[in-house]
Amino acid sequence: MSDTPVIGVLALQGDVREHLVALAAADAVARPVRRPEELAEVDGLVLPGGESTTISKLAVLFGLMEPLRARVRDGMPVYGTCAGMILLADRILDPRSGQETIGGIDMIVRRNAFGRQNESFEAAVGVQGVEGDPVDGVFIRAPWVESVGAAAEVLAEHDGHIVAVRQGTALATSFHPELTGDHRVHALFVDMVRANRAAESL
Ligand code: GLN
């Protein structure tokens, strides 16, 4: 088994290309995933930013929703940014009609939570597990996490709101590290994928 993990980016809608670039910069082999056969081949998966209702409807249409739920349930490492964070929430506070989630993190998210005051902004965010300076958080019609269950760990807050969470092999951020050229959050995820592969091959 090669040491380089293969990480997919769910490529139904959203900022797929930026994640592929960031993952490659963080020393993973990165590939778009559109079909269940492609999902079966990756060691981990990124759920990009975009529009969570659209992604969820396309996932159902492409026959990916159940395979996605099954792999996340089985412990495949997964990282969701913004819309991707919404997809990883076990519960959405204000879902649109027809909007489903993959789930995996025991948290309740509020969609467009920051967007009401401010469509888009950047802020320095200290993220647990990311060494050095705070991360430049890019928030675009971003959700926040209203509350987390006991199994979920809060990694970052902004203005008193939870904006990064980890539960086991699942990671989620309200913001978009793939847009900044700083690959430390992707590197954290690549490390999670490596650790999971090592544990599975024992
Ligand atoms: N507001 C979007 C949603 O509900 C997320 C925005 C984003 O991913 N930048 O899906």
Side-chain angles (χ1 to χ4, degrees), residues 62-78:
F62 279 61
L64 270 167
M65 190 54 102
E66 282 313 319
L68 282 165
R69 287 184 178 137
R71 284 221 63 190
V72 170
R73 216 170 25 235
D74 289 349
M76 173 185 68
V78 62

Side-chain angles (χ1 to χ4, degrees), residues 48-82:
E51 213 292 309
S52 53
T53 314
T54 306
I55 297 175
S56 110
K57 287 184 175 166
L58 289 172
V60 172
L61 207 66
F62 279 61
L64 270 167
M65 190 54 102
E66 282 313 319
L68 282 165
R69 287 184 178 137
R71 284 221 63 190
V72 170
R73 216 170 25 235
D74 289 349
M76 173 185 68
V78 62
Y79 171 32
T81 59
C82 202

